[in-house]
Amino acid sequence: MKKILVCAVIAALSLGCIFAKPKKTSGDNSFEELKSRGVFVLGLDDSFPPMGYRDEKNEIVGFDIDLAKEVAKRMGVQFKAQPIDWDAKEQELRGGKIDCIWNGLTMTAERVKAFSFTKPYLENNQVVVVKIDSPLKTLADFKGKSISLQNGSSAEDAVNSAPAFKDSLKEIIPLQDNLMALNDLQMNRVDGVVMDSVVAEYVIKQSNLPLKTLGESLAAERYGIAFRKKDAKLADGVQKILEEMAKDGTVARISEKWFGNDITVIGK
């Protein structure tokens, strides 16, 4: 009787092994997979100087571009800058059209939860740009005034997180990019533009525009590089290379080229 029972149990276990579904491994091979594919595709807004934009030859250049090209070189892969609709950047990344969003992307709590990020590499503030002869000196002066900003940007988030300032405004005009917003400001279509201080200061200086930023800022923030949530190994790999670049002075040299000094926070 015992022999029959043992045989029955063995038979049942054998059938279970035959029909049981194999377990799936959940290993993250994103870093090695990218190296095997041989191309690192960076998603960006190509009108966001000095982080990433088109020069007079229509070539995509910038601080982030120089950093990313060096990262790709050290990974042993080709680099590709892929312009995207900034308002749909998260969808572009999730859809697999790009490997990362690397273009002065603010690390908000919502984004950090949704994506795999590197550590911050640059600090920034959301500021209001006005004409150099503007009578508007503080955020409170904007009561009943109009502003413009880039649609889907962290400037929009900054305004939404400052309800007193937002509610005091007469009008908020979202536009496709910051350069269009600054043009509207110079044409007196709006009273101010909310945008990244890093970008504002660079554009004003390089183009010698009759503009300035207010002393007050709406929000302090940090830039990071976003990858798909499942691609944490790729984010870690890029972070490691950036830290190596910071140690050997490459990051500082690139920052000095674009900003005049090293304003990065990698490894600091």
Side-chain angles (χ1 to χ4, degrees), residues 11-154:
L13 290 173
S14 298
L15 287 172
C17 292
I18 292 171
F19 292 106
K21 293 182 180 179
K23 291 182 179 180
K24 294 181 179 180
T25 58
S26 57
D28 176 0
N29 299 313
S30 53
F31 186 67
E32 294 302 323
E33 285 173 359
L34 186 139
K35 290 176 69 174
S36 297
R37 179 156 44 89
V39 183
F40 183 34
V41 184
L42 176 151
L44 80 156
D45 166 15
D46 61 357
S47 59
F48 196 63
M51 314 311 288
Y53 66 102
R54 293 187 182 275
D55 63 10
E56 62 278 359
K57 297 179 182 178
N58 202 37
E59 295 178 353
I60 298 177
V61 298
F63 171 71
D64 281 342
I65 301 303
D66 283 354
L67 282 181
K69 281 183 175 180
E70 181 63 23
V71 167
K73 179 182 177 182
R74 297 189 185 204
M75 281 196 291
V77 299
Q78 295 181 357
F79 169 78
K80 180 180 179 181
Q82 180 61 58
I84 57 175
D85 177 357
W86 195 248
D87 195 30
K89 54 190 174 295
E90 287 88 355
Q91 295 93 308
E92 297 276 0
L93 181 57
R94 289 193 180 101
K97 294 182 180 179
I98 55 177
D99 295 312
C100 68
I101 304 170
W102 189 345
N103 192 214
L105 181 68
T106 300
M107 298 176 68
T108 64
E110 182 180 350
R111 287 172 181 165
V112 170
K113 185 178 179 180
F115 299 100
S116 289
F117 265 89
T118 60
K119 294 178 182 178
Y121 66 95
L122 206 64
E123 293 182 339
N124 179 58
N125 286 286
Q126 287 299 323
V127 296
V128 183
V129 180
V130 296
K131 298 185 75 172
I132 202 162
D133 58 353
S134 173
L136 307 175
K137 307 296 182 184
T138 67
L139 296 177
D141 292 339
F142 269 83
K143 183 177 181 179
K145 304 298 182 181
S146 61
I147 63 163
S148 62
L149 44 74
Q150 183 180 25
N151 196 28
S153 68
S154 54

Side-chain angles (χ1 to χ4, degrees), residues 99-267:
D99 295 312
C100 68
I101 304 170
W102 189 345
N103 192 214
L105 181 68
T106 300
M107 298 176 68
T108 64
E110 182 180 350
R111 287 172 181 165
V112 170
K113 185 178 179 180
F115 299 100
S116 289
F117 265 89
T118 60
K119 294 178 182 178
Y121 66 95
L122 206 64
E123 293 182 339
N124 179 58
N125 286 286
Q126 287 299 323
V127 296
V128 183
V129 180
V130 296
K131 298 185 75 172
I132 202 162
D133 58 353
S134 173
L136 307 175
K137 307 296 182 184
T138 67
L139 296 177
D141 292 339
F142 269 83
K143 183 177 181 179
K145 304 298 182 181
S146 61
I147 63 163
S148 62
L149 44 74
Q150 183 180 25
N151 196 28
S153 68
S154 54
E156 192 171 39
D157 295 335
V159 172
N160 289 334
S161 65
F165 173 71
K166 181 180 179 180
D167 292 344
S168 75
L169 298 170
K170 175 185 176 182
E171 187 178 19
I172 300 174
I173 303 173
L175 295 173
Q176 185 176 346
D177 59 58
N178 287 306
L179 299 182
M180 291 175 63
L182 290 175
N183 183 63
D184 273 13
L185 174 59
Q186 293 181 86
M187 297 295 290
N188 295 315
R189 293 175 184 146
V190 293
D191 300 297
V193 176
V194 178
M195 61 187 294
D196 300 62
S197 61
V198 168
V199 178
E201 290 164 9
Y202 180 85
V203 172
I204 291 171
K205 181 179 179 180
Q206 293 297 314
S207 301
N208 197 28
L209 299 178
L211 306 173
K212 64 180 181 180
T213 60
L214 296 186
E216 291 181 84
S217 68
L218 276 170
E221 56 191 29
R222 288 185 165 189
Y223 289 162
I225 309 159
F227 298 81
R228 284 177 287 278
K229 194 70 175 179
K230 66 182 183 64
D231 292 348
K233 292 288 186 182
L234 179 55
D236 291 344
V238 169
Q239 177 63 37
K240 183 178 179 181
I241 294 173
L242 283 173
E243 290 174 1
E244 291 171 354
M245 288 166 56
K247 280 186 178 181
D248 65 28
T250 303
V251 170
R253 287 194 295 272
I254 293 174
S255 181
E256 287 164 5
K257 169 186 173 181
W258 290 100
F259 303 109
N261 60 344
D262 184 10
I263 65 171
T264 64
V265 295
I266 301 171

